[in-house]
Amino acid sequence: MTETLARLAALGRAPGPDAPVVSVYLNTRWADEHQRDRTRVFLKNEVRRARSSAATEALRADLAWVEEQGERLVEQAEHPDAHGVALFACSARGLREVLPVRVPFEDAFCVDARPLLTPLAALLEEAPPTLVVFVDGEHARLIPLDAEGRGEEVTLEHEVVGRHRRGGWALLAQSRYQRHIEVHRDQHFEAVAAALGQLVDEVGVERIVLAGEARTLAVFRRRLPPALAARIVGSVAGARYEPASALVARAVELVGHLDASAEMKDVDSVLVEAAKGGRAVAGLARTLDAVGRGAVHRLYVLRGFDPPGRECPACGARFPQPLKFCGE
């Protein structure tokens, strides 16, 4: 997916042919048929509106392709596990892209000279590499998550003789042997911690979600070095017999709540900094000025905020709609 995003980013920067690009973002995290119908109606209405003003046969072909792909997604004939899908089409550029991801998009439809990449750019920042780590006394399952979804699961297993529940002398023997089991369990936790630490260093995992039984996870966390423990953002319940999809679903929900809370704190901090006249600005005019100076490190935009504007063909500066171009 990184190569595709790089290609789309390049298309967004390059002038390319004088041909419009159709960009569509769909929230495909449907709980029932009603939600799928809403997506179907949204896409149908947007395609019909775009067709009414389509000036070329190529654009009409692009819209037909988007409509066909959208219907396949709604019918869950393609990418049924994706929570969000981005579609890009432009015949003149040879562009036909379907990008399924693990987080939902807000529905959007755009026909413009450049592909709409803002939701994808936000996705890259909001979905850093995450690892779901299930641990019990004898097994570990490492499930990587990225913007595309669940990666290949890796299972780490330590063979330990099972427990025997008996009375009398057998119980005494079991208790003695239990010490041996606990020693091996400690070795298992330490081995998992070592493998996890190496993986974090080599792959660049930024967040870890632990899964398992609460008491087991508490013991495992004590085996982790501080730098690795600092990457743990939370834990979810989990059992060895559960499929990876169940563990991932809980982890994604947990991370989603954490991201939403962190984003609200960030926005509050920016507004306070702007009110103090510090290194932040608020409002359309000041933000456009900062964008023009290349001084924007992070940009927050309210959902549904879509004021009209213009881009100067001479200098590339952006202005609210009432303002004139340079020299006018």
Side-chain angles (χ1 to χ4, degrees), residues 22-41:
V22 183
S23 305
V24 182
Y25 291 87
L26 298 176
N27 181 346
T28 58
R29 190 176 183 178
W30 301 303
D32 51 40
E33 184 62 30
H34 177 67
Q35 293 180 347
R36 286 198 292 273
D37 281 341
R38 283 192 300 183
T39 300
R40 182 185 286 111
V41 171

Side-chain angles (χ1 to χ4, degrees), residues 131-151:
L131 194 66
V132 181
V133 180
F134 168 82
V135 182
D136 64 12
E138 300 154 20
H139 300 78
R141 299 164 61 186
L142 310 182
I143 311 169
L145 299 179
D146 55 22
E148 291 181 288
R150 188 177 80 231

Side-chain angles (χ1 to χ4, degrees), residues 20-328:
V21 180
V22 183
S23 305
V24 182
Y25 291 87
L26 298 176
N27 181 346
T28 58
R29 190 176 183 178
W30 301 303
D32 51 40
E33 184 62 30
H34 177 67
Q35 293 180 347
R36 286 198 292 273
D37 281 341
R38 283 192 300 183
T39 300
R40 182 185 286 111
V41 171
F42 165 80
L43 191 58
K44 180 179 179 181
N45 290 340
E46 293 295 332
V47 169
R48 183 175 65 247
R49 188 178 298 112
R51 277 199 181 114
S52 65
S53 58
T56 66
E57 186 61 33
L59 178 54
R60 286 189 284 272
D62 292 338
L63 293 171
W65 179 82
V66 165
E67 186 175 39
E68 178 185 354
Q69 295 300 314
E71 185 61 29
R72 291 181 63 81
L73 291 170
V74 172
E75 295 296 330
Q76 297 187 301
E78 297 285 347
H79 310 295
D81 296 328
H83 289 172
V85 177
L87 304 169
F88 300 91
C90 180
S91 300
R93 304 186 188 202
L95 181 60
R96 288 284 194 275
E97 298 286 353
V98 180
L99 299 180
V101 297
R102 68 178 179 85
V103 293
F105 289 119
E106 184 175 357
D107 291 341
F109 189 101
C110 176
V111 180
D112 198 11
R114 298 176 179 177
L116 176 63
L117 299 177
T118 305
L120 280 178
L123 174 64
L124 290 179
E125 182 173 330
E126 294 172 1
T130 302
L131 194 66
V132 181
V133 180
F134 168 82
V135 182
D136 64 12
E138 300 154 20
H139 300 78
R141 299 164 61 186
L142 310 182
I143 311 169
L145 299 179
D146 55 22
E148 291 181 288
R150 188 177 80 231
E152 182 179 359
E153 177 180 343
V154 176
T155 301
L156 307 178
E157 187 171 2
H158 180 71
E159 293 184 1
V160 179
V161 179
R163 302 183 182 184
H164 303 279
R165 299 192 176 278
R166 299 178 181 176
W169 67 269
L171 178 60
L172 180 62
Q174 178 184 350
S175 66
R176 297 296 183 270
Y177 187 69
Q178 188 62 37
R179 298 178 185 175
H180 179 72
I181 292 180
E182 297 302 333
V183 169
H184 280 276
R185 179 171 290 116
D186 288 344
Q187 293 176 355
H188 166 64
F189 287 153
E190 291 171 1
V192 172
L196 184 58
Q198 292 178 353
L199 186 64
V200 167
D201 291 339
E202 295 174 4
V203 180
V205 175
E206 297 179 13
R207 301 191 291 195
I208 298 173
V209 176
L210 296 181
E213 194 269 334
R215 289 180 297 178
T216 300
L217 296 183
V219 175
F220 175 67
R221 292 187 70 153
R222 291 199 291 269
R223 301 295 190 277
L224 299 177
L228 193 58
R231 297 180 185 268
I232 297 176
V233 297
S235 60
V236 297
R240 185 189 308 177
Y241 62 83
E242 289 187 293
S245 58
L247 303 179
V248 165
R250 295 184 197 123
V252 169
E253 183 177 4
L254 170 67
V255 170
H257 289 315
L258 293 173
D259 285 343
S261 177
E263 189 174 70
M264 290 178 63
K265 292 180 180 178
D266 289 343
V267 172
D268 287 342
S269 298
V270 169
L271 293 176
V272 170
E273 185 73 10
K276 293 179 178 179
R279 299 179 61 185
V281 297
L284 180 59
R286 291 184 177 181
T287 301
L288 288 177
D289 177 66
V291 170
R293 292 183 285 107
V296 174
H297 172 65
R298 181 170 296 180
L299 179 66
Y300 294 96
V301 181
L302 293 175
R303 290 182 178 177
F305 182 73
D306 188 24
R310 305 173 75 185
E311 183 178 23
C312 178
C315 67
R318 296 174 175 87
F319 305 96
Q321 183 65 37
L323 298 184
K324 298 181 179 181
F325 290 152
C326 300
E328 289 185 352

